Amino acid sequence: MSTFPLRIGTPDGLLFEGNVERVICRTVSGDLAILARHCNYCTALGMGEASVVMEDGSRRTAACIGGMLSVMNGKCRVLATTWEWKEDIDEQRAQKAKKRAEEMIAKGGLSDHDYKIVEAKLQRALVRLSVKS
């Protein structure tokens, strides 16, 4: 299969650079797969599982929490707010975050703003746990 150059970074730095067969991410409007020779494209990333199919056909999975994906002249760049490879996810930490968020929601009394923040924290924890399992 054909490959294309991919760079994945976060505000903390470059996480991956190399040629890949495919990258699959959740965008704000649904899941998207980028293959070689994709047209120029730019989209906002949502919160969900992402995967990269390497040149050798192996697959790496990650939790992607927001950001941007662009394809320009055959090169794909992902600038994620958070990108955690499956092997780097701390499952205990994600479980604790999930439990804290669920307790805060169950307790109630949150303003609309605080509720949205807690709900986003719960969603991030669920994405991490889904990728890890």
Side-chain angles (χ1 to χ4, degrees), residues 9-24:
T10 68
D12 293 330
L14 184 65
L15 299 177
F16 176 83
E17 184 170 24
N19 288 329
V20 300
E21 288 184 6
R22 179 181 313 138
V23 60
I24 303 162

Side-chain angles (χ1 to χ4, degrees), residues 43-67:
T43 189
L45 295 173
M47 203 180 302
E49 183 175 315
S51 61
V52 178
V53 178
M54 308 306 234
E55 278 186 295
D56 64 4
S58 64
R59 179 182 296 253
R60 289 189 74 189
T61 307
C64 178
I65 314 293

Side-chain angles (χ1 to χ4, degrees), residues 5 11-12 25 27 40-42 50 52 54 71 92 104 117 122 126:
D12 293 330
C25 291
T27 72
N40 290 345
Y41 184 76
C42 184
V52 178
M54 308 306 234
V71 180
Q92 284 186 329
M104 289 180 75
I117 290 172
L122 175 58
L126 291 171

Side-chain angles (χ1 to χ4, degrees), residues 27-95:
T27 72
V28 292
S29 58
D31 289 350
L32 169 74
I34 302 293
L35 301 167
R37 294 180 291 285
H38 197 286
C39 65
N40 290 345
Y41 184 76
C42 184
T43 189
L45 295 173
M47 203 180 302
E49 183 175 315
S51 61
V52 178
V53 178
M54 308 306 234
E55 278 186 295
D56 64 4
S58 64
R59 179 182 296 253
R60 289 189 74 189
T61 307
C64 178
I65 314 293
M68 296 294 295
L69 177 145
S70 69
V71 180
M72 189 63 66
N73 301 323
K75 296 178 184 177
C76 184
R77 291 180 180 86
V78 173
L79 180 56
T81 305
T82 302
W83 183 282
E84 291 176 274
W85 294 112
K86 179 179 180 175
E87 61 270 17
D88 297 332
I89 294 173
D90 183 338
E91 189 172 5
Q92 284 186 329
R93 182 173 168 239
Q95 285 285 5

Side-chain angles (χ1 to χ4, degrees), residues 102-110:
E102 288 173 337
E103 288 171 353
M104 289 180 75
I105 289 170
K107 181 179 172 185
L110 298 169

